[in-house]
Amino acid sequence: MAVHEVERAVCPSCGGRGWVVQLDGGAGTARPCFCRQYEVVPRLIEAAGIPDRYRDCRLASFKLTRGSAAEGAQLLQARSLAQRYVDDFMKPQGDFARSGLLFIGPPGVGKTHLAVGVLIEAIERYSVRGRFVELSTFFNQMQSTFGQAASESTQAVLAPLMDVQLLVLDELGTQQPTPWIRDVLYLVINTRYARRLPTLFTTNYRLTAAASDAPGSGKSLDRGRDPDPTWDEATALASRLPSMLVSRLYEMTQPVLLTAVGDFRRDQAGAQKARRR
């Protein structure tokens, strides 16, 4: 969605936050803005560019009953971290969170569901301006701006990612790490890092391949807890991104691990085929 369409949804009184800070002689008290009475939230959700497949994703609908008890425990922990992030997203003085989340795990474990659930619930509760970006689609869109007959400029495609209050970058590291892709990712992520704008990431790749860091520590993944032997050193984000970006991710996100969970989409498809026999 174009930048002007996002801006049209922003209330001039609260800047799209949904909250106004009342002076009280101290730091101020946040109160809901009058704009919540109107159709601001549906327009903000529409402007966020969430694909139809994920429009119904909510944290409450995230399935916890899959596989073993260990899988269920990690799914519950992941959802709890996501819910806590939403609950704490608005600070008492009216500021939004300045850090994000990094959902890590193999394909089909629910990373995008959780990220979109956080995005939608933040929009619904705080009228935050949000944006969902599937990175492979984004890079194709960027490449389409290079021709003389392009309908959008490169700046028009990049601007929403730089400025939006809450951004989801889906499938980080999946793209072939060409110098151009690395440069664009650095521009987007480093800009948001410098501006302290919260960003949610999903990735199939590890932060590191170190074995000594425990899950949930905010440092890296615990290789000893990964049931999939294909998750080795080659699947570290450092093999896909510049080391300086990986370093930024440590500081600007909290890891949310789904590494001990099986592929839900594959299991669901198998169960549907079995029922049809």
Side-chain angles (χ1 to χ4, degrees), residues 29-30 62 94 140 149 163 180 207 242:
T29 303
F62 185 67
N140 288 336
D163 301 329
W180 175 72
L207 262 178

Side-chain angles (χ1 to χ4, degrees), residues 21-49:
V21 177
Q22 276 185 317
L23 299 179
D24 57 7
T29 303
R31 64 168 178 80
C33 181
F34 72 90
C35 70
R36 289 186 166 218
Q37 306 171 44
Y38 304 102
E39 294 301 312
V40 172
V41 167
R43 293 204 304 272
L44 286 170
I45 291 177
E46 183 65 30

Side-chain angles (χ1 to χ4, degrees), residues 134-164:
E134 198 284 313
L135 281 168
S136 294
T137 302
F138 164 73
F139 284 118
N140 288 336
Q141 188 179 10
M142 281 283 291
Q143 288 175 329
S144 71
T145 67
F146 295 160
Q148 291 184 347
S151 59
E152 288 185 289
S153 68
T154 301
Q155 181 59 29
V157 175
L158 274 174
L161 279 67
M162 306 292 200
D163 301 329
V164 74

Side-chain angles (χ1 to χ4, degrees), residues 114-128:
L114 286 173
V116 172
V118 170
L119 176 62
I120 291 177
E121 293 187 26
I123 293 172
E124 291 174 340
R125 288 177 62 173
Y126 308 112
S127 298
V128 62

